[in-house]
Amino acid sequence: MEPVLLKNINTPDSHRIDVYIKNGGYQALPAALKMQTDALIQMVKDSGLRGRGGAGFSTGLKWSFITKDATIPKYLCCNADEGEPGTFKDRAIIEKDPHQLIEGMIIACYAIGAHAAYIYIRGEFDFGARRLEQAISEAHQKGYLGKNILNSSFNCHIYVHRGAGAYICGEETALIESIEGKRGQPRIKPPFPAQVGLFAKPTVINNVETLACIPHIVNKGPRWFASIGPEKSPGPKIVGVSGHVKNPGLYELPMGTPLREVIFTHAGGIRDGRKFKAAIPGGVSAPMLTEKDLDTTMDFDGMAAKGTMLGSAGVIVMDDTTCIVKVAMRTMGFFRHESCGKCTPCREGTDWTYKVLHRIEHGQGKDGDVELLEKLCGNIFGRTFCPLGDGAVMALRGALKNFRNEFEYHVKKKRCMV
Amino acid sequence: MLSTQAIENIKKAIAKYPRKKSASMDALMIAQKECGHLTEDILLEIAHLLEMPPVQLNQVAAFYTMYNKRPVGKYHIQVCTNISCSLLGSEHIFQFFSKMLGIKKGETTSDKKFTLSEVECLGSCGTAPMMQINDDYYENLTEAKIEEILKTLK
């Protein structure tokens, strides 16, 4: 497949507006501004685009939930809080081709009738935030942002909001709280952000990669987009591969590419002549897969059928020297650190689970500890405000399901089997 | 006390939002860039500028890990030890730093030049192991590379 989203990232000065325009940028915007907003939303629905942040919800459908009442202010938020461990795709778009995102955002604002949008970028992306500020200022100078854009009478402003180191702010309602200048703690749903979102107004939250797809859908048509990959989750997808592979990095592939092809063809297979052991397919919240699952396709439904998820398509590959107990402990350490503390099952559960894993890993595991972990998982899963607790449980259950023997070996022999 | 420039920048941040207190995160970052870490006096000054109760601003400052509530060194070394980095030896990288600087996790060297922290995923997994020093990313780390980097930090 010809790259779409990453086509220009290696072009010199790809972040500058002149280079973006020279390569066909800002052609979708005037075309979209001539369309009726209903037709534009229908176009995105017809393309089959599903949210690239991980949840895979239909983007067109999400946009259609926003009221048409022009007297009510509305907001668009771009989720650029890329924090799911193993994920580094949005950063490439932000730093190397920010206008692709800006153009997608202006079109999305027009479609839902929003005149203001916020890009919530994680605090650590200092360089990315500066790139976005520069891109926004360039777009203003060219008349793509501001008042009466391209004489369409449509007004739109985009602002950068910088996070400050909290994974939870990638959750859409925590993200909204954070933009409002508060602690990033999730809100209970309903009401959903489409009704009561940022500043209590109807709000759409879309991921960076999702919004970057929009100009291409407008330019090439929904049928083109829908023809790439599986019918139910089509389009190009940026897959990030990290861990024990020869060529870690970003690969833009059709949705539905088998995991085996991603790891062994594109990423060059396992490094140092070692053997493949397991892979986490979509950021650490996604349950790991083993050798027998390598033919699973990388799309929302293919991954769900194997009890895991496409998530952010950040693939973490582990070779046969990897201790799964240690991976599970480090993963739970992450969730424990990032739990926002609002609800008890997540706050206490991730801490307790981490302590049990820590003692198992350090040769102090007790009989019944593996069963205790399973019990704790059951007391967290489905009982929390937001999906953070569920993500922690899914990750641990994935490790226990595939490598229970390693956990038991640690408990019994007080040492690692690898 | 914040400088006139910092106050000016905070006022610019306020203009981005329909509510003043939405600028709290920008304001904390602006203040931290200027002062190194956030003291009670600075928090009070910002709360006053944003017309919000100081306790609410304290909550925000306490919640997010990037706000320094204690002094940090001139160079804040933040080594990622999450899964992708850990698979490629981030523990060793951290130990190497610890040995070279003679400090443990969370500590600052006596000359106040370096603070060493362990952090969660920084979104740079394809170039692991990696770290951030102040605002900048350093990727594909090796011992030799770290020695070179440390030489450039005066």
Side-chain angles (χ1 to χ4, degrees):
Chain A
M1 188 194 81
E2 278 278 300
V4 179
L5 302 164
L6 299 181
K7 194 177 100 194
N8 293 319
I9 62 162
N10 293 318
T11 310
D13 285 330
S14 58
H15 62 287
R16 303 306 298 257
I17 198 162
D18 294 337
V19 176
Y20 181 68
I21 292 172
K22 208 175 125 203
N23 288 301
Y26 287 111
Q27 286 179 12
L29 179 62
L33 291 175
K34 287 192 187 88
M35 289 174 74
Q36 295 292 323
T37 56
D38 281 346
L40 188 54
I41 293 173
Q42 190 59 45
M43 184 187 231
V44 176
K45 269 190 201 168
D46 292 343
S47 75
L49 173 63
R50 291 169 68 176
R52 288 346 191 197
F57 192 79
S58 160
T59 305
L61 197 57
K62 199 184 238 185
W63 292 6
S64 72
F65 294 151
I66 300 294
T67 173
K68 305 281 174 214
D69 185 342
T71 63
I72 299 172
K74 302 156 193 97
Y75 292 102
L76 172 74
C77 297
C78 168
N79 188 343
D81 190 47
E82 186 162 68
E84 179 71 28
T87 314
F88 49 102
K89 63 184 181 70
D90 297 338
R91 182 176 159 222
I93 295 173
I94 291 164
E95 292 183 358
K96 306 275 183 63
D97 204 351
H99 283 286
Q100 199 177 194
L101 170 63
I102 305 285
E103 188 178 10
M105 286 184 71
I106 307 167
I107 297 170
C109 281
Y110 173 71
I112 62 166
H115 300 293
Y118 293 90
I119 304 175
Y120 189 97
I121 184 166
R122 62 177 299 177
E124 294 87 344
F125 286 175
D126 184 74
F127 181 68
R130 282 185 279 130
R131 277 270 155 102
L132 287 172
E133 296 277 14
Q134 188 188 21
I136 289 167
S137 142
E138 284 179 333
H140 267 283
Q141 279 163 20
K142 294 269 181 191
Y144 299 130
L145 272 174
K147 287 190 175 154
N148 191 22
I149 296 169
L150 303 174
N151 293 318
S152 64
S153 78
F154 175 64
N155 307 329
C156 186
H157 291 273
I158 298 179
Y159 306 99
V160 176
H161 182 100
R162 294 186 62 185
Y167 167 75
I168 187 61
C169 291
E171 194 282 330
E172 59 181 16
T173 60
L175 182 146
I176 288 172
E177 288 282 300
S178 189
I179 296 180
E180 290 184 0
K182 298 182 246 172
R183 288 183 291 185
Q185 291 188 317
R187 295 176 179 172
I188 195 137
K189 292 193 273 194
F192 290 92
Q195 278 83 44
V196 184
L198 183 61
F199 306 119
K201 303 296 181 214
T203 303
V204 163
I205 301 106
N206 285 142
N207 169 260
V208 172
E209 190 186 352
T210 311
L211 288 162
C213 287
I214 301 297
H216 303 287
I217 293 171
V218 173
N219 281 330
K220 298 180 187 167
R223 274 198 208 142
W224 159 81
F225 194 89
S227 72
I228 301 168
E231 196 188 332
K232 289 193 173 154
S233 57
K237 180 77 196 85
I238 307 175
V239 176
V241 191
S242 63
H244 295 137
V245 287
K246 283 185 191 148
N247 310 312
L250 295 174
Y251 299 93
E252 188 179 3
L253 304 166
M255 271 280 194
T257 303
L259 186 59
R260 187 187 299 278
E261 188 186 320
V262 170
I263 297 171
F264 291 91
T265 307
H266 301 289
I270 309 302
R271 58 161 66 186
D272 304 329
R274 306 296 317 189
K275 270 182 66 188
F276 171 84
K277 182 169 183 174
I280 298 167
V284 295
S285 304
M288 55 178 70
L289 296 173
T290 56
E291 183 88 40
K292 65 181 190 316
D293 304 311
L294 277 173
D295 293 313
T296 311
T297 54
M298 293 214 50
D299 57 82
F300 295 109
D301 307 308
M303 285 291 161
K306 290 283 165 156
T308 183
M309 56 185 186
L310 180 68
S312 58
V315 180
I316 305 173
V317 180
M318 294 169 271
D319 71 16
D320 56 354
T321 63
T322 312
C323 168
I324 299 296
V325 179
K326 194 173 173 189
V327 169
M329 180 191 79
R330 184 61 189 86
T331 304
M332 200 51 80
F334 165 74
F335 286 112
R336 169 191 187 237
H337 181 260
E338 299 299 341
S339 174
C340 80
K342 177 163 175 159
C343 64
T344 313
C346 176
R347 183 187 63 237
E348 302 302 320
T350 52
D351 184 54
W352 193 351
T353 320
Y354 173 77
K355 282 176 181 157
V356 175
L357 285 165
H358 189 272
R359 71 176 180 237
I360 297 177
E361 167 64 12
H362 290 85
Q364 290 147 5
K366 301 173 196 164
D367 282 341
D369 268 356
V370 179
E371 291 73 18
L372 175 60
L373 287 174
E374 284 169 333
K375 197 176 150 199
L376 288 169
C377 282
N379 282 328
I380 303 171
F381 195 81
R383 293 164 195 258
T384 55
F385 265 96
C386 86
L388 190 144
D390 289 350
V393 168
M394 285 191 293
L396 179 55
R397 280 181 174 164
L400 283 169
K401 187 180 129 198
N402 289 298
F403 297 99
R404 196 187 168 96
N405 60 330
E406 278 193 35
F407 289 82
E408 284 167 348
Y409 191 95
H410 265 260
V411 172
K412 214 169 274 170
K413 307 267 184 178
K414 313 291 180 202
R415 60 185 167 87
C416 185
M417 69 193 286
V418 290
Chain B
M1 284 282 286
L2 291 168
S3 69
T4 331
Q5 184 60 53
I7 292 170
E8 208 47 50
N9 288 341
I10 291 172
K11 283 183 180 158
K12 270 187 210 158
I14 292 171
K16 298 196 300 192
Y17 307 95
R19 298 177 190 168
K20 274 192 171 182
K21 76 170 183 185
S22 285
S24 64
M25 295 183 71
D26 272 354
L28 291 171
M29 198 60 93
I30 291 164
Q32 181 162 301
K33 280 238 159 104
E34 184 166 290
C35 310
H37 75 286
L38 302 167
T39 60
E40 206 172 307
D41 287 347
I42 288 173
L43 289 173
L44 277 172
E45 198 179 344
I46 296 172
H48 180 72
L49 277 170
L50 301 180
E51 294 169 17
M52 69 193 281
V55 65
Q56 272 186 21
L57 188 69
N58 285 350
Q59 286 179 348
V60 177
F63 185 82
Y64 298 93
T65 54
M66 280 176 70
Y67 301 131
N68 302 323
K69 275 72 75 177
R70 286 184 304 159
V72 292
K74 184 178 175 192
Y75 298 105
H76 190 186
I77 300 168
Q78 300 156 81
V79 182
C80 170
T81 59
N82 210 296
I83 304 300
S84 300
C85 282
S86 146
L87 291 172
L88 297 177
S90 62
E91 266 174 48
H92 179 77
I93 297 285
F94 192 88
Q95 290 311 323
F96 185 70
F97 263 119
S98 184
K99 216 171 109 191
M100 276 194 80
L101 302 172
I103 47 174
K104 292 199 219 60
K105 182 172 150 181
E107 291 179 350
T108 302
T109 52
S110 54
D111 60 0
K112 305 212 175 3
K113 198 167 160 191
F114 297 105
T115 298
L116 183 60
S117 299
E118 201 179 316
V119 293
E120 295 298 351
C121 184
L122 291 171
S124 189
C125 320
T127 46
M130 64 80 62
M131 65 172 167
Q132 182 168 25
I133 301 181
N134 298 347
D135 290 334
D136 301 319
Y137 276 26
Y138 296 85
E139 303 166 296
N140 295 309
L141 296 176
T142 59
E143 284 189 9
K145 211 167 168 180
I146 290 170
E147 282 172 347
E148 283 307 306
I149 294 163
L150 282 178
K151 273 186 214 158
T152 66
L153 304 177
K154 300 290 174 209

